[in-house]
Amino acid sequence: MEISYLYTRKRSEFGRPCCFSDQAATVNVDIPPDPGLAGSFVPRDPVHTSVQHSTEMSEHEVNTDRVKVQSRGVNHVEGGWPKDVNPREADQTARFRKKLEKDEHYVNVITQLGTLMEHCIKQNNAIDIYEEYFEEEEMIEVEMEPPSAKTINAIRDPNAAKRTATHLSWCPNASKKLAVAYSILEFQQSKKDMSLDSYIWDLENSSRPEMVLKPPSPLVTLEYNPKDSFVLVGGCYNGQMAYWDTRKGQLPVEVSTVEVSHRDPVYGAIWLQSKTGTDCFSASTDGQVLWWDVRKLSVPTEKLVLDISRKGILKDALGAVALEFESTLPTKFMVGTEQGIVILCNRKAKTPAEKITCTYSGHHGPVYALSRNPMYPKIFLTVGDWTARIWSEDAKESAIMWTKYHSAYLTDGCWSPVRPAVFLTTRSDGTLDIWDFLFKQNDPFLSLKVCDEPLSSLRVQDNGRIVGCGSKVGTVSVMEISSVLCTLQRNEKNLANAMFERETRREKILEARHREMRLKERTRSESRVMEMEEAPAESPQEVFARTQKEFLEVIQAELRRKARAEAQQLHGKVKEHAEGAALHEEDIQVPEENIQVPEEESQEPMGESQEPMGESQEPKKEEGKKEDAAKARNAVPDHGKAFPAQGAEQGPGGGSRVPAQHRAPSELRSDAEQCPVAPACCYPCSSNLWSLACIIRAG
């Protein structure tokens, strides 16, 4: 049972004003004095009394409340257009302008304003108020300044569970706004309560993010639209694409469906140059490149499978981890893969097979960064494994320049937007390297230890002076580099272009040489195969006999080589003994009349390189040699017996043995030694002594 009570009141009593009236004062409480309390007081004399014009207050202290500052702004859009004309549509604005130009009132107004504008234009042409009179002096000062960098801000992930700052994007209107994508790429480290949010930071108020972006899955990449600073596109960890309009809140305006999205994390998303400014494309490790219109993300507009065999098979596609697009080359784009291969693609090709133009292979691991030179688009930079490499589109087999191999893994890199010879790289040990190859090629121009954690992302502002580095724990370090690294030097463009062209020519020459060598090797192998096919089949016995013969020939050649080496070694030893014997020639004093050396022995022995004698002369020569050797042995006296016994050694037969330095040349040979000139000597030796002819020939 429901009990209700109805309150009623007259309509005239609603909204009645309160009427106040004057009345006499009344005493509500009266406290009479207590005479008993008078004894507690002491009279004071004299008494000084001061009178203030304002109310007296007691002294006190208070804590001020913290003022929360919030950035607010006004969006100024182009005005003056009718309601039926959208100022963002170029066709509608052009149509309205043509219609307005035909109006007579418009022509009269333009004619009146033309005189005033003509005066201002002539004045500007006559005097350049922005002219720099001392530009050269300033450039000289910049060159003398040492390279340096300082940290101006550090932005930390506000969440308790620290995530990696996977991608950075500067606001295109030269403001100090930075969009940061946060995610954990190692799915084993993901937590259930992990935040999915990414943030837009204002460097002037970095205590709290300016705006929170709430994607359906953690963002891996995030990019500002270069034509509209309020629009961003992001690639999620689950493969979805989403885009935001910061004027419409934190939630994405449009999200692609899971069925038509990527199957792996989206590592690259780039805006395209188009009339509407709403086209973009993305790449993922699932091996696909998809083109999108953010106004309709329900289905991609185009698809490309990164199969370098040009068959379009998805399971054979290479996973993409880096994406590059240059607005000056609207039909070309480049993809860096997990396998270390860079794929150059042409979007306007007719068939999918023709869209993959060529490939560049040079890294041992994934290509984490890919960037074209802002002033020479045919030159591009790749970062992977332990090196950064500079390539030219014309040299496809090898890079034209590369850095040394670092001890730490390289994680990201990019060119300086204002200097063609400067590029930056980050490493897994927390170091930022700035290279200037016109100044130094082997080492970085400036190395800066940013933090102890690995650096994961890198982005340079358009002016080239502010650099943002994201780390694995979500800390974004914003640094300002010195003017020498972000100011175009005198004649730098010409020097950089000359170096690029020189290195490209060198690589082309090497490529042609390698191509020629490969062609020769291919021709040689083909001819060898043809010979083997034309030759009759050998039986097992013939194969065994041929193999045995080749094996024995190799062994004999090795034995001959060893024999020649031993002969040369012993020949050197004999030379040393002969020199020692010559020093003691005065002590030995061999009678010259007792030594009869045949005239032929003074000639040099026949070497291996001399031609052999004829058959008719060999027997006579052999007999003459034997007789001469016998005469030489008989003519040499036994000088060992003439030396004193002092210092003598005991021989094996019990007799005294003369030391080597006191022996005659005929006694220098022992029974176990071999004559060093035996291979080239034509005279026989005795079993115990060398012939004097051998000594002379060895010396």
Side-chain angles (χ1 to χ4, degrees):
M1 179 180 178
E2 184 178 355
I3 300 175
S4 62
Y5 182 79
L6 180 64
Y7 292 90
T8 60
R9 191 177 183 182
K10 292 182 179 181
R11 177 69 183 85
S12 60
E13 294 180 359
F14 280 97
R16 293 179 59 185
C18 296
C19 298
F20 297 96
S21 60
D22 295 335
Q23 68 180 42
T26 58
V27 178
N28 295 327
V29 179
D30 184 14
I31 302 176
D34 187 3
L37 298 177
S40 302
F41 294 91
V42 177
R44 186 175 63 179
D45 188 25
V47 178
H48 300 281
T49 305
S50 60
V51 179
Q52 298 288 342
H53 294 284
S54 61
T55 306
E56 293 184 1
M57 299 181 65
S58 63
E59 184 178 358
H60 63 283
E61 295 179 358
V62 294
N63 292 328
T64 57
D65 294 336
R66 181 180 177 184
V67 178
K68 294 182 179 180
V69 181
Q70 186 175 4
S71 300
R72 296 181 180 272
V74 179
N75 179 28
H76 295 276
V77 296
E78 187 177 355
W81 297 95
K83 293 183 179 179
D84 57 342
V85 176
N86 186 2
R88 294 186 181 179
E89 294 292 338
D91 298 338
Q92 297 182 17
T93 56
R95 200 179 307 115
F96 181 76
R97 285 193 180 98
K98 290 180 180 180
K99 179 182 177 182
L100 194 62
E101 288 172 359
K102 298 178 181 179
D103 190 1
E104 296 180 359
H105 180 67
Y106 172 79
V107 175
N108 295 332
V109 173
I110 292 297
T111 304
Q112 295 175 4
L113 294 176
T115 307
L116 179 61
M117 291 300 300
E118 184 180 3
H119 171 71
C120 297
I121 292 172
K122 288 181 178 180
Q123 185 179 6
N124 289 339
N125 293 337
I127 302 173
D128 185 8
I129 62 175
Y130 299 105
E131 182 180 359
E132 296 182 6
Y133 296 96
F134 307 101
E135 185 176 0
E136 295 183 358
E137 284 74 5
E138 291 180 0
M139 291 183 65
I140 293 174
E141 292 178 2
V142 168
E143 291 176 359
M144 298 302 294
E145 181 185 358
S148 61
K150 60 179 180 180
T151 303
I152 60 176
N153 212 330
I155 303 172
R156 293 175 175 81
D157 185 5
N159 294 282
K162 300 304 177 183
R163 302 165 297 166
T164 303
T166 54
H167 197 84
L168 310 178
S169 180
W170 290 99
C171 188
N173 58 1
S175 66
K176 292 189 176 181
K177 291 183 181 180
L178 180 65
V180 185
Y182 294 92
S183 64
I184 296 179
L185 299 179
E186 295 85 0
F187 68 91
Q188 297 93 339
Q189 301 179 7
S190 300
K191 300 178 181 179
K192 293 182 179 180
D193 56 347
M194 184 184 68
S195 174
L196 307 180
D197 300 341
S198 294
Y199 307 101
I200 298 176
W201 300 88
D202 189 352
L203 300 185
E204 296 178 353
N205 183 22
S206 59
S207 59
R208 56 191 299 270
E210 185 184 66
M211 187 173 184
V212 181
L213 304 178
K214 294 185 175 296
S217 177
L219 288 178
V220 180
T221 182
L222 185 64
E223 280 291 341
Y224 268 106
N225 190 334
K227 289 187 175 181
D228 191 351
S229 59
F230 297 101
V231 178
L232 299 96
V233 66
C236 300
Y237 186 76
N238 64 351
Q240 288 181 284
M241 294 292 294
Y243 98 94
W244 286 263
D245 190 336
T246 56
R247 294 164 293 191
K248 296 183 180 180
Q250 301 175 343
L251 296 176
V253 179
E254 189 89 14
V255 180
S256 64
T257 58
V258 177
E259 292 79 12
V260 299
S261 302
H262 292 283
R263 304 178 183 180
D264 285 347
V266 181
Y267 283 94
I270 298 180
W271 292 94
L272 294 169
Q273 290 283 0
S274 61
K275 295 180 180 179
T276 59
T278 57
D279 295 339
C280 65
F281 71 116
S282 60
S284 171
T285 50
D286 63 352
Q288 296 183 97
V289 178
L290 303 179
W291 281 264
W292 308 86
D293 189 340
V294 295
R295 296 174 298 182
K296 186 182 178 181
L297 288 176
S298 58
V299 59
T301 59
E302 198 175 345
K303 181 187 294 186
L304 173 64
V305 178
L306 298 175
D307 182 11
I308 58 176
S309 63
R310 295 173 174 82
K311 296 180 181 179
I313 303 175
L314 185 58
K315 66 177 182 179
D316 297 335
L318 305 181
V321 291
L323 195 60
E324 201 283 331
F325 173 76
E326 176 60 38
S327 57
T328 57
L329 303 172
T331 61
K332 291 183 178 181
F333 67 94
M334 305 184 77
V335 182
T337 64
E338 292 179 306
Q339 291 76 14
I341 298 174
V342 178
I343 304 175
L344 178 62
C345 304
N346 185 5
R347 185 189 177 190
K348 297 301 181 182
K350 296 181 180 179
T351 61
E354 295 176 354
K355 288 185 177 181
I356 298 179
T357 307
C358 61
T359 59
Y360 304 86
S361 179
H363 286 284
H364 307 297
V367 180
Y368 288 115
L370 185 59
S371 175
R372 286 187 184 269
N373 192 295
M375 300 183 187
Y376 303 101
K378 284 194 173 183
I379 305 298
F380 60 93
L381 170 73
T382 60
V383 174
D385 51 65
W386 300 270
T387 61
R389 296 175 180 268
I390 299 175
W391 302 75
S392 173
E393 283 190 4
D394 300 331
K396 298 179 177 58
E397 294 189 3
S398 175
I400 60 174
M401 299 170 65
W402 53 85
T403 65
K404 65 179 181 181
Y405 278 79
H406 297 275
S407 57
Y409 218 72
L410 268 64
T411 57
D412 204 351
C414 64
W415 288 98
S416 170
V418 294
R419 290 194 56 191
V422 174
F423 64 92
L424 302 87
T425 59
T426 56
R427 289 190 273 169
S428 58
D429 59 356
T431 303
L432 170 67
D433 293 331
I434 302 178
W435 296 78
D436 185 353
F437 56 79
L438 291 181
F439 178 78
K440 189 187 295 184
Q441 290 84 23
N442 297 329
D443 297 305
F445 193 39
L446 176 65
S447 290
L448 184 66
K449 183 72 173 179
V450 179
C451 58
D452 296 331
E453 297 82 18
L455 294 177
S456 58
S457 53
L458 173 68
R459 203 65 178 268
V460 184
Q461 208 174 22
D462 292 338
N463 60 5
R465 194 173 187 85
I466 306 299
V467 181
C469 299
S471 69
K472 193 174 182 179
V473 296
T475 302
V476 179
S477 301
V478 182
M479 288 164 290
E480 182 180 3
I481 60 178
S482 58
S483 57
V484 69
L485 296 171
C486 59
T487 304
L488 190 65
Q489 305 296 307
R490 187 189 299 111
N491 206 25
E492 180 177 355
K493 288 186 178 180
N494 296 332
L495 293 174
N497 188 29
M499 180 172 287
F500 290 146
E501 290 181 353
R502 184 190 69 213
E503 296 300 323
T504 303
R505 285 196 302 270
R506 180 180 63 84
E507 287 300 326
K508 285 184 178 179
I509 294 172
L510 293 177
E511 285 181 10
R513 178 60 179 162
H514 291 166
R515 199 178 301 113
E516 182 182 352
M517 293 174 63
R518 288 196 298 268
L519 182 61
K520 289 182 178 179
E521 183 64 27
R522 190 183 304 113
T523 305
R524 193 181 298 112
S525 61
E526 290 177 357
S527 62
R528 193 180 299 116
V529 170
M530 292 177 62
E531 290 176 359
M532 293 178 63
E533 292 177 354
E534 293 175 357
E538 293 181 331
S539 62
Q541 291 80 6
E542 293 176 348
V543 173
F544 177 76
R546 179 172 54 79
T547 307
Q548 186 179 19
K549 181 180 178 182
E550 294 175 356
F551 177 72
L552 294 176
E553 288 177 354
V554 171
I555 292 178
Q556 291 176 2
E558 183 65 20
L559 291 175
R560 286 195 296 269
R561 186 189 65 79
K562 288 184 178 181
R564 284 195 296 269
E566 292 176 358
Q568 291 177 359
Q569 185 178 4
L570 293 174
H571 184 48
K573 290 182 179 180
V574 171
K575 274 190 175 182
E576 294 177 1
H577 289 303
E579 290 174 359
L583 293 176
H584 300 282
E585 187 178 357
E586 295 180 358
D587 298 335
I588 298 174
Q589 293 181 357
V590 180
E592 294 183 359
E593 61 275 5
N594 295 336
I595 302 176
Q596 299 177 2
V597 182
E599 214 174 286
E600 293 84 354
E601 294 179 359
S602 61
Q603 300 175 1
E604 292 185 3
M606 180 183 299
E608 294 181 359
S609 62
Q610 294 178 346
E611 297 180 359
M613 299 180 182
E615 296 180 0
S616 61
Q617 298 178 0
E618 283 183 1
K620 297 179 180 180
K621 291 284 184 179
E622 287 293 333
E623 294 176 1
K625 289 176 184 178
K626 292 179 181 180
E627 294 176 0
D628 295 341
K631 292 178 181 179
R633 284 196 302 270
N634 297 331
V636 177
D638 191 1
H639 293 282
K641 298 177 182 179
F643 287 98
Q646 186 178 359
E649 300 177 3
Q650 189 70 22
S656 61
R657 182 180 179 185
V658 181
Q661 63 269 23
H662 299 299
R663 294 183 198 172
S666 59
E667 295 181 331
L668 292 175
R669 181 179 182 272
S670 63
D671 295 338
E673 292 177 342
Q674 184 182 0
C675 179
V677 294
C681 184
C682 300
Y683 297 92
C685 299
S686 65
S687 60
N688 295 325
L689 298 176
W690 292 340
S691 66
L692 185 59
C694 296
I695 298 298
I696 294 174
R697 292 175 185 277

